[in-house]
Amino acid sequence: MELKKDINAVSIDMLLIVHSEKRRAAQGTHSDQQADPSALLQRRGGYQGIGNGVRRWQKLEGNDLHENLVEKQHPQQPQVITSYDSQGTQLTVEVHPRDAMPQLFKKFSLAKRLQGDKNGNTRPRQPGGKDAHAYPWDRSSLKSMSLDLRQFEKLDLYASQVTAKSGLDELVSDLLQEAHTDLERVRAIWIWICHHIEYDIAAAQEKDRQAFKPTDILRTQKTNCDGYAGLFERMCRIAGVQCMTVPGYSKGFGYQTGQSFSGEFDHAWNAVYLEGRWHLVDSTWGSGLVDTTTSKFTFLYNEFYFLTHPALFIEDHFPDNKNWQLLKPPQSLRQFENNMYHKSEFYNKGMLSAHPETSMIRTVNGKATVTIESCAPTLFMFMLNGKQEHGLLSLRKNGMKLEVYPPTMGTHKLQIFAKGNSDIYSSVLEYTLKCNYVDMGVRLPAELHQPVGPSWFSEQMGITKPSHPDPIIHTSDGRCSISFGVEEGINVLASLHGDDGPITEEAQRRYIFQLHWEKRTELKVQLPHAGKFALKIFVKKRQEPGNYIFVFNYLLCCANTKVNWPMFPESFGNWGQDNELLEPLSGVLPANRNIPFKLKLHGIAKVLVKGQDTWPLTLNHEGYWEGSCSTAGCQEVYVMVLENANHNFYSYILKYKVNAQ
């Protein structure tokens, strides 16, 4: 039996019960939770959400719930009208007086609810007008009531370790040993279910109804969404807490941006009555995820779906009865379909808002811009069509700004990830980009990784007070000089990357000459030709083992096609951190010329320049070593130093090439 929507007429409540075996046979299995593209980054194999179509609990109990309901109905019985269409589909309409209890809640109630809880309540009251406006969201909390999660630490540990018993009554009794308020009772039940009940993939695919009976769930510790919801409700009722199962639609696994919802509900969750108000929970989505590549469930607790604020819960849960939105005014199904969907990780990672607020973006002059506001400094990254290309992502103190330039016209998928306090990037937003124009002048280097430009993160990594705070640097002659402060004990490494084909790692650094003075590092850059280049900045703590860590990059742009700068001279390991080279900066010297040399070296006794012959450099009153050498008759020129006057050997620190005659 499939329940459709509850329809309120002027003077009657009508419940439409539609039986269509043909449609049920044609419909596939529904799943519940949104696929998480961050799974690839988490190396978990692509976790997906869990759930299945909502089954009807009244068919799962030993007795017939419908008969029990009829016995307790209002003395004035409903009028039943049955008709058939040309395809044999039966349509049954029950017409009830206005003062009759809405049958929607009866149909989704377990038979034993009518026996009453220990407080003597025969059934929970429905949410009303005062509930709808009782949850203003000021972005200060993700919950529908004030909570300090630290107060649950002891209870959570206890509840997660309670073992399943032969019956629900005994299990609930054990859980309540450490729970003394209704809130704590609900929390203990929530924690136990989320940590012990596994999503039953096989039962969901085969639609095995036995998997959803509370007794079977307790025995197998497996079920799916309506099993989770029914078990949660049953345990709450035993604990004396009013609880309801709420059916509806969800933006879960398989959800596509802007899709429409119709037909059978694909999910079920719960509402609990605490401190005079209703609150929403989803233990299915709180328990874990399914890896679609292996069809295995993994427990992965998600706090977000415990007493979620209705303003946030509505983003991926649409109840069949609008009262269960707990919103004023309630959203329509069309609004639910069209509204921007922020994943739970968006809020778990501390995001507050995103712009634009629509899930579909149309580019303007080939560009789309997305900004996110967060409550704390956060690391972000993006993917356009599965690649980290064609965009400029800059970090802000409380958020980020992303400019995306799709490479082709048409529809593109944009995913945004955030790192938060963990070491894992999680998907927080997805957009669909519609591009009807491509700016061919905006071709970003493939090696332009994220983020671009200095930020709070680069400062945290030891790079301070940059000479160029903006991520893009334009140069008319292909040269630029960039400097920044460097904290004590930090080594800096830089490399230049364009899109002209393979280039050796050594050559990537040879277009940059690195100088140090007064606790600042200067990068002299000479672009090999016109175009756009990524200048990547890495750091490493001097005393710690391991590789350099990427921090950020600049986008260097030069439109001058006459630019053709050679590389800088090659430097060796003895080139000190505080050395300074004034001339010659070109790593390729002309043949048969006298070349002047000027450089500052620290802690050096003697300096020689060696070509065909050897020429000494002299130390002037400003502290620079000066002199010249001839390039006649040689192919290479070296700068050599004697570190101590008592030593009898020189070390190479610079190497130049000489043009062939």
Side-chain angles (χ1 to χ4, degrees):
M1 180 166 55
E2 297 182 6
L3 259 69
K4 307 300 285 186
K5 297 194 189 277
D6 140 60
I7 303 173
N8 294 316
V10 175
S11 60
I12 58 174
D13 292 316
M14 297 194 307
L15 179 67
L16 304 185
I17 305 172
V18 181
H19 302 271
S20 176
E21 294 300 326
K22 293 181 180 180
R23 186 170 70 83
R24 273 203 297 268
Q27 281 186 313
T29 299
H30 294 268
S31 288
D32 298 312
Q33 195 173 359
Q34 176 62 36
D36 188 357
S38 68
L40 178 62
L41 300 170
Q42 296 178 19
R43 299 182 180 179
R44 295 181 183 272
Y47 286 130
Q48 307 294 342
I50 56 182
N52 197 17
V54 178
R55 273 71 178 190
R56 303 300 172 243
W57 273 90
Q58 60 267 30
K59 288 195 173 184
L60 306 183
E61 295 301 306
N63 51 6
D64 184 8
L65 175 61
H66 181 65
E67 292 179 2
N68 283 316
L69 290 172
V70 170
E71 293 174 2
K72 297 180 181 291
Q73 282 176 352
H74 191 278
Q76 185 177 354
Q77 295 298 318
Q79 178 184 2
V80 179
I81 304 173
T82 302
S83 64
Y84 298 85
D85 64 13
S86 58
Q87 297 180 340
T89 299
Q90 176 184 330
L91 175 65
T92 301
V93 181
E94 296 178 3
V95 183
H96 299 266
R98 171 168 291 280
D99 58 353
M101 174 184 173
Q103 296 298 299
L104 175 66
F105 295 99
K106 287 188 178 181
K107 296 296 183 182
F108 277 90
S109 297
L110 293 173
K112 292 189 178 180
R113 291 182 199 153
L114 299 178
Q115 297 175 2
D117 58 28
K118 71 178 186 180
N119 294 327
N121 299 318
T122 57
R123 57 176 177 264
R125 75 162 179 85
Q126 305 170 44
K130 68 177 183 179
D131 296 294
H133 58 78
Y135 311 87
W137 188 47
D138 58 3
R139 306 198 303 181
S140 63
S141 173
L142 306 182
K143 305 296 187 181
S144 53
M145 64 188 300
S146 180
L147 288 182
D148 180 359
L149 294 178
R150 292 173 297 182
Q151 75 185 55
F152 295 132
E153 290 178 357
K154 181 180 178 181
L155 177 62
D156 289 355
L157 179 62
Y158 170 79
S160 64
Q161 295 177 349
V162 170
T163 57
K165 303 299 189 295
S166 58
L168 284 181
D169 289 347
E170 186 179 357
L171 172 60
V172 172
S173 177
D174 283 355
L175 288 172
L176 299 191
Q177 294 299 315
E178 297 292 332
H180 308 295
T181 66
D182 280 357
L183 174 59
E184 290 178 347
R185 295 181 185 103
V186 169
R187 180 70 179 190
I189 293 168
W190 156 268
I191 288 293
W192 190 89
I193 291 178
C194 288
H195 288 80
H196 289 84
I197 303 304
E198 178 180 346
Y199 186 73
D200 193 338
I201 303 166
Q205 294 172 342
E206 298 171 6
K207 299 185 179 181
D208 178 7
R209 296 180 182 274
Q210 292 302 312
F212 313 117
K213 293 177 63 175
T215 52
D216 290 315
I217 296 172
L218 199 61
R219 176 178 54 82
T220 64
Q221 296 197 22
K222 290 184 177 183
T223 188
N224 87 346
C225 70
D226 36 348
Y228 276 98
L231 179 64
F232 187 89
E233 178 183 349
R234 177 69 67 84
M235 293 176 71
C236 283
R237 301 286 283 170
I238 293 173
V241 179
Q242 294 188 42
C243 180
M244 294 287 287
T245 294
V246 182
Y249 297 120
S250 65
K251 292 182 178 178
F253 170 56
Y255 168 73
Q256 299 294 324
T257 300
Q259 79 174 55
S260 298
F261 291 89
S262 61
E264 182 179 309
F265 311 130
D266 64 2
H267 194 35
W269 54 94
N270 295 101
V272 291
Y273 195 70
L274 299 170
E275 300 182 9
R277 289 189 299 173
W278 286 102
H279 302 269
L280 303 170
V281 299
D282 187 340
S283 56
T284 311
W285 290 10
S287 63
L289 298 167
V290 171
D291 184 342
T292 54
T293 61
T294 61
S295 293
K296 291 184 178 180
F297 172 85
T298 298
F299 283 103
L300 191 63
Y301 178 72
N302 191 343
E303 174 65 37
F304 179 77
Y305 291 106
F306 179 74
L307 307 188
T308 315
H309 196 288
L312 309 182
F313 204 76
I314 190 62
E315 293 198 24
D316 48 14
H317 292 73
F318 187 84
D320 177 70
N321 186 303
K322 64 182 180 181
N323 287 345
W324 286 118
Q325 294 182 27
L326 305 180
L327 296 174
K328 186 179 183 179
Q331 286 192 12
S332 66
L333 181 59
R334 177 62 62 86
Q335 287 176 307
F336 175 74
E337 293 170 344
N338 295 335
N339 282 353
M340 183 64 195
Y341 168 41
H342 305 94
K343 299 183 179 181
S344 62
E345 283 300 292
F346 180 89
Y347 298 106
N348 285 338
K349 298 292 186 184
M351 310 297 105
L352 296 174
S353 63
H355 184 83
E357 296 179 345
T358 57
S359 56
M360 184 173 294
I361 308 174
R362 296 189 181 275
T363 59
V364 178
N365 297 325
K367 180 178 78 171
T369 302
V370 176
T371 59
I372 292 180
E373 179 188 359
S374 59
C375 61
T378 305
L379 288 175
F380 293 88
M381 63 166 287
F382 78 93
M383 283 188 176
L384 184 67
N385 301 325
K387 295 182 178 180
Q388 300 180 50
E389 299 178 6
H390 310 295
L392 299 171
L393 189 153
S394 55
L395 298 176
R396 296 176 173 178
K397 185 175 181 180
N398 289 310
M400 71 87 170
K401 179 181 179 181
L402 171 63
E403 295 179 343
V404 181
Y405 301 86
T408 59
M409 292 189 293
T411 302
H412 303 267
K413 182 179 181 180
L414 174 63
Q415 299 165 282
I416 299 176
F417 305 84
K419 194 172 184 180
N421 295 323
S422 69
D423 292 330
I424 298 173
Y425 281 93
S426 300
S427 176
V428 295
L429 280 180
E430 288 187 13
Y431 287 96
T432 298
L433 302 188
K434 296 286 187 179
C435 180
N436 57 8
Y437 168 77
V438 176
D439 187 347
M440 302 305 295
V442 182
R443 187 176 67 89
L444 302 177
E447 287 291 323
L448 188 72
H449 291 163
Q450 309 151 50
V452 294
S455 66
W456 62 267
F457 177 65
S458 54
E459 185 172 344
Q460 180 178 297
M461 298 299 290
I463 295 177
T464 62
K465 299 178 180 178
S467 60
H468 294 70
D470 295 328
I472 303 176
I473 299 175
H474 294 274
T475 168
S476 59
D477 62 356
R479 284 181 166 181
C480 66
S481 177
I482 302 165
S483 65
F484 39 78
V486 179
E487 291 183 0
E488 187 69 28
I490 299 293
N491 286 340
V492 176
L493 181 68
S495 59
L496 191 69
H497 304 260
D499 280 342
D500 4 7
I503 185 171
T504 65
E505 189 172 318
E506 185 267 341
Q508 290 170 356
R509 291 195 291 267
R510 289 282 300 281
Y511 287 100
I512 307 164
F513 202 80
Q514 190 167 318
L515 306 172
H516 301 267
W517 42 273
E518 297 179 357
K519 296 184 178 180
R520 288 186 71 82
T521 289
E522 180 182 6
L523 302 176
K524 292 181 179 293
V525 182
Q526 295 182 166
L527 301 181
H529 52 76
K532 294 183 175 65
F533 296 84
L535 176 64
K536 305 176 80 69
I537 311 294
F538 304 82
V539 301
K540 177 181 179 296
K541 288 187 177 180
R542 204 168 297 163
Q543 302 301 325
E544 293 185 2
N547 298 324
Y548 280 83
I549 300 173
F550 171 72
V551 180
F552 71 98
N553 42 212
Y554 285 106
L555 175 63
L556 307 184
C557 305
C558 178
N560 186 354
T561 56
K562 296 181 180 180
V563 166
N564 185 21
W565 295 109
M567 293 184 290
F568 286 103
E570 182 178 355
S571 60
F572 298 103
N574 289 333
W575 176 262
Q577 285 282 332
D578 298 323
N579 293 346
E580 183 179 353
L581 176 66
L582 271 66
E583 57 179 347
L585 288 175
S586 173
V588 181
L589 305 177
N592 301 317
R593 294 275 298 275
N594 281 327
I595 306 298
F597 280 78
K598 185 176 181 180
L599 61 163
K600 180 174 285 188
L601 307 172
H602 298 276
I604 298 300
K606 292 183 180 180
V607 183
L608 300 177
V609 179
K610 182 181 182 302
Q612 181 72 14
D613 298 309
T614 301
W615 288 266
L617 301 184
T618 59
L619 186 64
N620 66 17
H621 66 281
E622 295 178 339
Y624 289 94
W625 293 89
E626 291 184 301
S628 63
C629 88
S630 171
T631 58
C634 63
Q635 296 179 340
E636 296 174 336
V637 172
Y638 293 89
V639 177
M640 304 184 301
V641 298
L642 186 68
E643 296 182 3
N644 190 305
N646 296 324
H647 292 175
N648 56 6
F649 60 89
Y650 285 80
S651 300
Y652 293 115
I653 60 171
L654 293 175
K655 175 184 176 181
Y656 294 84
K657 290 186 176 181
V658 178
N659 270 332
Q661 297 183 8

